[in-house]
Amino acid sequence: MTCYPDIPKPIRSGIVLVDPERGTPQRIIILQFNPDTLERSLSPQSAGDQADSGGGGSGSGDKNEALRLKGPAQETWKFTAEIDATDQFEVAAPDGIHPQLATLEMLVQPTTAKLREAMRLSKKGTIEISPIEMPLTLFTWGSKRVMPVRITELSINESAFDVNLNPIRASLSIGLKVLTVSDLPAGHRGAELYLAHLAQKERLAAAARGGALSALGLNSGDIGLGRV
């Protein structure tokens, strides 16, 4: 067999469950295959969204707020992940890919222990029962994209089964919402991780080469006198 020791091993994307108090990883989920495509959407939280655009209408927003932001943009991710037991013949899979699917499904399900505790409190007549808190979830896409997220969508398409009807191949549509300082309380570990994620974007933006006004057919006087 020919070996190529100099070829770097590809980095995998994945999900890390973190204890929000201690910051220690509770579980690491590595995607078997990196998705071929990612769909990302950023919606700015503009303070002046409802203001008139300048066409003479009667806008209901404050025009003094047109260039202001109320907070970080709301960012969502969507991608398709593939799981295929037939691509891992060296790994025993008596249950097919049930374990991998269950691991991902438990990202959006409380545990039976927490459900039983909530039922116990309800049976005791507790007036107010707090919603069940899940571990802090991080999505990682290389070292430059590590961000706290909440899973908003998990759709599973099972496409092949073994003789015992265990699924052995599936594709999963996964939707994520990046959690920002607008979603998390001050001092929360997830808020600090989001700030680190945003700081990484700032560093990457600073490394980009700036353009010249001449490439746009303009000069500084055109901008300064409002001739654009």
Side-chain angles (χ1 to χ4, degrees):
M1 178 182 292
T2 303
C3 296
Y4 300 93
D6 295 333
I7 297 178
K9 188 176 182 180
I11 299 297
R12 295 295 181 190
S13 56
I15 296 171
V16 182
L17 301 184
V18 176
D19 185 313
E21 297 294 331
R22 296 185 292 271
T24 54
Q26 294 181 327
R27 185 149 200 176
I28 300 172
I29 302 170
I30 300 174
L31 299 183
Q32 185 179 358
F33 307 106
N34 286 332
D36 292 328
T37 60
L38 292 172
E39 179 183 343
R40 300 194 298 123
S41 175
L42 286 87
S43 301
Q45 294 194 67
S46 303
D49 279 341
Q50 296 181 343
D52 177 39
S53 61
S58 56
S60 59
D62 185 349
K63 295 182 181 180
N64 294 325
E65 302 292 323
L67 300 180
R68 298 181 182 274
L69 294 174
K70 295 183 290 186
Q74 297 295 309
E75 183 175 357
T76 59
W77 289 52
K78 288 185 179 181
F79 59 89
T80 299
E82 306 286 342
I83 304 177
D84 191 345
T86 62
D87 192 66
Q88 297 178 323
F89 286 115
E90 72 281 3
V91 180
D95 300 315
I97 59 172
H98 269 309
Q100 295 93 320
L101 294 178
T103 298
L104 291 168
E105 290 178 53
M106 288 308 299
L107 296 177
V108 294
Q109 297 270 25
T111 63
T112 54
K114 291 184 177 181
L115 286 174
R116 290 185 185 279
E117 177 63 13
M119 293 168 61
R120 184 185 66 80
L121 292 174
S122 177
K123 189 175 181 180
K124 287 178 59 177
T126 303
I127 297 176
E128 182 178 354
I129 301 175
S130 299
I132 297 172
E133 183 173 2
M134 300 292 286
L136 174 61
T137 303
L138 304 181
F139 179 65
T140 71
W141 186 272
S143 62
K144 296 179 178 62
R145 289 174 171 174
V146 180
M147 67 212 81
V149 298
R150 179 174 67 240
I151 295 179
T152 58
E153 175 187 343
L154 179 59
S155 177
I156 302 171
N157 181 13
E158 300 177 2
S159 56
F161 305 87
D162 64 15
V163 294
N164 295 314
L165 292 184
N166 294 311
I168 57 174
R169 187 184 306 122
S171 62
L172 302 92
S173 297
I174 300 176
L176 307 172
K177 179 186 183 300
V178 178
L179 297 179
T180 73
V181 292
S182 298
D183 303 304
L184 298 164
H188 191 281
R189 192 172 299 273
E192 295 301 320
L193 286 165
Y194 171 75
L195 290 174
H197 169 62
L198 187 59
Q200 179 68 271
K201 286 180 181 286
E202 293 171 355
R203 288 191 291 271
L204 292 172
R209 294 183 59 184
L213 285 176
S214 59
L216 305 175
L218 303 172
N219 56 51
S220 58
D222 293 329
I223 300 296
L225 296 177
R227 292 173 180 169
V228 293

